[in-house]
C-alpha cells in the first residue's frame, strides 16, 4: 500500500500498544497488520523470519518472496531465501545477491570487512540457465539501485524492458518502499522505477503511479506524470476506467491531478464524462479544495476542447458559482494562456524512456530539504495524533500562518 492512509498508521499504533501490554503476540499483531496492508514490509518480514525459526521452510520461502516484493531494496528477503530454499544453485544465487546488497548497507560494511566476507559477482559461474532467468529481474533492479543518482547505460534500460512483466512487481516494490520511507537518499532509483513502469505499459501500475502524480517534487512527480501519460496513450480505454475508479472518494489534490492527466490522454468516448464526474462529491470539500478541483477541471476541459466546447460550458454552468473570487481571477488569467497551451501540447514531443532515465540526478545540498509528500487533507486526522482534524490542529502552523 503506497503512502498508507492515516487509518493504517492508526491500526499499526494500536497493534503496537497491544503488543506492549501483552494483549497480542507479535505474530498475531503482524498477521492483523498484513491482513489490512498485504504489502506491509515490516509485518511480512517478521512473519517470514518467524516461519523460518519455527522450521516451516515452505511458508518462510513464500513469505520471503512476498517480503522481497514489498521491499526489494532490503538484503533480508534475499538472504532468507538463501537459507530456506533447498540447498543448490538457486539458494546460493539468492544468498549471493543478499550479500551483494549488504555491501551497500553502511551499517553492515564494517562488519562484512572485519569478517572478510567478499563482495560476490552478480552472476555466479556455471549457474544453470533457469536460475539465471529467475534472478535476472532482481539483479537488474540491484544494478539500478547501485547506480543511485549516477547516469546509466541504455543497455540496462533495454534489459529491464525485455523482462518488463517480471520486473514490474519489483519496480512497484520500490514505490512501496518509498511510501514506507525505506528508500533513503536514492531518488534516482525511484524516478527510474516510475518511468520504467510507464514504458512497460501495464495499466495495473496506474493505481500506484497516481499516488506520485500530485507530488510537488518536480523530478519525482514529473516522472510519475510521464509514466501515467505513457500508459494512457497506449491503453486509453483501460486507463479511463481506472481514472473513473480512482476518483471515487479521492482527495481534492488527487482529483486535480487526475483532471490534469485526463487532458493529456487521447480523445476517446467517455473522457469528458469522467472529467465531469470528478466533481461528484464537491460539496464535501472546503472552499479552497473546491476551487482547486473546479479550476483543474475547467482547465482540463479548455485544453481538451477549447473555451466554447460543451464540456467547459457544462462545468462552468454547474460549478462556476461555487468558485471564490480568487479562483475566478486565476481562471481568467489562465484562459488567456490556454489556447497557446493547447497548441503546445498538441505539438510537443514526449521525451523517450532513455531521456527520462539515462542521465544522472542532481544532489540537493540544502540540509533543510524535505522529501515531497502527498499533502494531508484538511479533514483527515492530524499527523500529531491529537484526534483532531488537521485543519483544526496543525494546518496553520505547518503553513507558517
Amino acid at each position: 500500500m503506497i503512502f498508507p492512509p492515516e487509518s493504517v498508521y492508526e491500526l499499526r499504533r494500536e497493534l503496537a500498544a497491544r503488543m506492549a501490554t501483552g494483549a497480542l503476540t507479535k505474530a498475531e499483531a503482524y498477521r492483523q497488520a498484513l491482513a489490512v496492508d498485504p504489502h506491509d514490509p515490516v509485518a511480512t518480514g517478521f512473519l517470514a523470519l518467524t516461519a523460518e525459526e519455527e522450521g516451516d521452510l515452505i511458508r518462510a520461502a513464500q513469505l520471503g518472496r512476498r517480503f522481497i516484493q514489498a521491499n526489494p531494496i532490503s538484503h533480508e528477503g534475499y538472504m532468507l531465501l538463501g537459507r530456506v530454499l533447498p540447498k543448490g544453485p538457486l539458494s546460493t544465487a539468492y544468498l549471493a545477491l543478499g550479500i551483494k546488497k549488504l555491501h551497500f548497507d553502511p551499517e553492515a560494511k564494517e562488519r562484512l570487512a572485519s569478517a572478510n566476507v567478499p563482495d560476490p559477482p552478480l552472476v555466479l559461474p556455471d549457474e544453470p540457465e533457469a536460475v539465471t532467468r529467475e534472478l535476472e529481474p532482481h539483479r537488474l533492479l540491484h544494478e539500478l539501485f547501485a547506480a543511485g543518482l549516477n547516469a546509466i547505460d541504455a543497455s540496462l534500460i533495454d534489459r529491464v524492458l525485455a523482462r518488463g512483466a517480471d520486473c514490474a512487481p519489483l519496480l512497484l516494490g520500490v514505490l512501496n518502499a518509498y511510501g514506507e520511507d525505506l528508500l533513503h537518499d536514492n531518488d534516482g532509483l525511484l524516478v527510474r522505477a516510475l518511468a520504467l513502469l510507464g514504458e512497460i505499459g501495464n495499466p495495473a501500475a496506474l493505481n500506484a503511479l497516481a499516488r506520485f502524480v500530485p507530488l510537488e517534487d518536480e523530478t519525482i512527480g514529473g516522472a510519475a506524470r510521464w509514466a501515467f501519460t505513457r500508459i494512457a496513450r497506449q491503453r486509453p480505454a483501460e486507463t479511463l476506467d481506472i481514472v473513473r475508479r480512482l476518483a471515487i472518494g479521492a482527495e481534492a489534490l488527487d482529483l486535480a491531478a487526475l483532471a490534469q492527466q485526463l487532458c493529456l490522454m487521447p480523445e476517446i468516448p467517455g473522457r469528458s464524462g469522467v472529467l465531469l464526474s470528478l466533481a461528484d462529491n464537491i460539496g464535501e470539500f472546503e472552499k479552497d479544495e473546491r476551487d482547486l478541483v473546479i479550476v483543474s477541471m475547467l482547465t482540463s476541459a479548455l485544453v481538451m476542447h477549447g473555451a466554447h466546447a460543451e464540456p467547459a460550458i457544462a462545468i462552468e454552468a454547474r460549478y462556476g458559482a461555487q468558485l471564490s473570487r480568487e479562483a475566478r481571477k486565476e481562471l481568467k488569467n489562465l484562459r488567456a494562456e490556454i489556447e497557446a497551451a493547447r497548441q503546445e501540447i498538441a505539438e510537443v514531443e514526449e521525451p523517450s524512456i532513455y531521456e527520462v532515465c539515462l542521465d544522472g540526478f542532481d544532489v540537493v545540498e540544502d540540509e533543510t530539504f524535505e522529501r515531497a509528500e502527498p499533502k494531508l487533507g484538511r479533514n483527515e486526522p492530524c499527523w500529531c495524533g491529537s484526534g483532531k482534524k488537521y485543519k483544526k490542529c496543525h494546518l496553520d502552523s505547518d503553513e507558517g500562518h
Side-chain angles (χ1 to χ4, degrees):
M1 187 180 295
I2 296 165
F3 300 122
E6 177 59 27
S7 59
V8 170
Y9 285 118
E10 179 59 36
L11 172 67
R12 292 177 182 177
R13 288 191 290 267
E14 179 187 333
L15 292 173
R18 294 177 70 189
M19 279 193 290
T21 63
L24 276 180
T25 66
K26 282 188 175 182
E28 290 168 337
Y30 283 128
R31 277 194 288 270
Q32 289 188 34
L34 200 60
V36 172
D37 179 4
H39 303 289
D40 183 331
V42 175
T44 310
F46 176 86
L47 293 172
L49 292 169
T50 299
E52 179 190 17
E53 290 172 5
E54 294 173 349
D56 190 346
L57 301 188
I58 293 176
R59 177 67 173 160
Q62 292 171 341
L63 286 167
R65 292 182 186 278
R66 285 182 62 181
F67 179 37
I68 286 172
Q69 290 196 359
N71 182 14
I73 310 307
S74 172
H75 65 275
E76 294 178 292
Y78 292 94
M79 299 192 78
L80 173 69
L81 289 185
R83 296 192 301 268
V84 302
L85 289 174
K87 297 300 179 187
L90 185 61
S91 62
T92 301
Y94 273 109
L95 183 61
L97 183 52
I99 295 171
K100 190 82 176 174
K101 287 176 176 290
L102 260 178
H103 279 272
F104 284 83
D105 184 342
E107 296 180 3
K109 276 184 177 179
E110 189 175 336
R111 187 173 76 250
L112 290 169
S114 63
N116 198 27
V117 178
D119 187 4
L122 268 178
V123 181
L124 303 175
D126 300 322
E127 187 174 84
E129 184 179 344
V131 172
T132 301
R133 181 160 182 82
E134 178 170 332
L135 267 292
E136 185 181 27
H138 303 276
R139 289 165 173 164
L140 289 170
L141 184 70
H142 181 70
E143 288 188 54
L144 289 171
F145 168 77
L149 300 171
N150 298 321
I152 60 174
D153 191 81
S155 64
L156 177 54
I157 298 299
D158 292 336
R159 285 182 288 144
V160 172
L161 294 176
R163 297 294 306 274
D166 298 312
C167 287
L170 299 176
L171 296 171
L172 288 168
V174 171
L175 274 55
N176 189 65
Y178 181 90
E180 294 280 358
D181 202 25
L182 298 173
L183 182 61
H184 303 298
D185 302 320
N186 200 339
D187 286 354
L189 176 61
L190 175 65
V191 168
R192 286 165 176 148
L194 290 163
L196 284 163
L197 285 166
E199 187 69 16
I200 290 166
N202 189 339
L206 288 170
N207 289 332
L209 293 173
R211 303 304 310 279
F212 290 84
V213 166
L215 294 191
E216 292 178 351
D217 184 304
E218 187 52 38
T219 304
I220 296 172
R225 292 189 287 275
W226 181 92
F228 199 105
T229 301
R230 184 82 174 124
I231 296 175
R233 290 180 177 175
Q234 296 176 72
R235 310 278 286 274
E238 291 158 282
T239 299
L240 191 64
D241 185 56
I242 290 170
V243 170
R244 183 185 292 110
R245 285 186 272 119
L246 286 172
I248 299 171
E251 292 287 333
L253 186 66
D254 296 313
L255 291 172
L258 291 174
Q260 178 190 46
Q261 294 306 120
L262 281 169
C263 76
L264 299 175
M265 288 180 57
E267 175 59 63
I268 61 169
R271 184 173 64 150
S272 295
V274 171
L275 180 64
L276 285 166
S277 74
L278 298 183
D280 283 352
N281 298 318
I282 200 75
E284 299 176 6
F285 294 135
E286 301 286 332
K287 176 175 69 70
D288 57 340
E289 294 173 326
R290 288 199 303 271
D291 284 349
L292 175 63
V293 174
I294 296 169
V295 169
S296 298
M297 289 171 60
L298 268 169
T299 302
S300 183
L302 292 168
V303 170
M304 288 193 301
H305 304 293
H308 304 295
E310 194 277 332
I313 294 170
I315 292 170
E316 191 148 21
R318 290 186 200 178
Y319 307 110
Q322 299 185 42
L323 287 172
S324 67
R325 180 180 301 176
E326 295 83 358
R328 289 177 183 279
K329 184 177 179 180
E330 179 187 355
L331 190 59
K332 184 178 180 180
N333 293 334
L334 281 171
R335 286 181 187 277
E337 304 171 7
I338 283 176
E339 276 306 312
R342 290 186 71 205
Q343 187 65 25
E344 185 178 322
I345 289 170
E347 293 176 355
V348 71
E349 186 175 333
E350 287 292 324
S352 71
I353 183 67
Y354 303 103
E355 292 172 284
V356 177
C357 287
L358 294 189
D359 289 344
F361 301 91
D362 293 332
V363 178
V364 178
E365 300 291 350
D366 184 357
E367 293 182 1
T368 64
F369 172 81
E370 293 183 3
R371 191 188 305 277
E373 298 285 354
K375 292 182 180 177
L376 190 64
R378 293 167 58 87
N379 292 308
E380 289 186 45
C382 187
W383 53 262
C384 72
S386 66
K388 299 178 183 178
K389 289 186 177 182
Y390 183 45
K391 65 184 179 183
K392 298 290 188 183
C393 196
H394 275 85
L395 174 61
D396 286 345
S397 61
D398 286 352
E399 293 185 345
H401 295 166

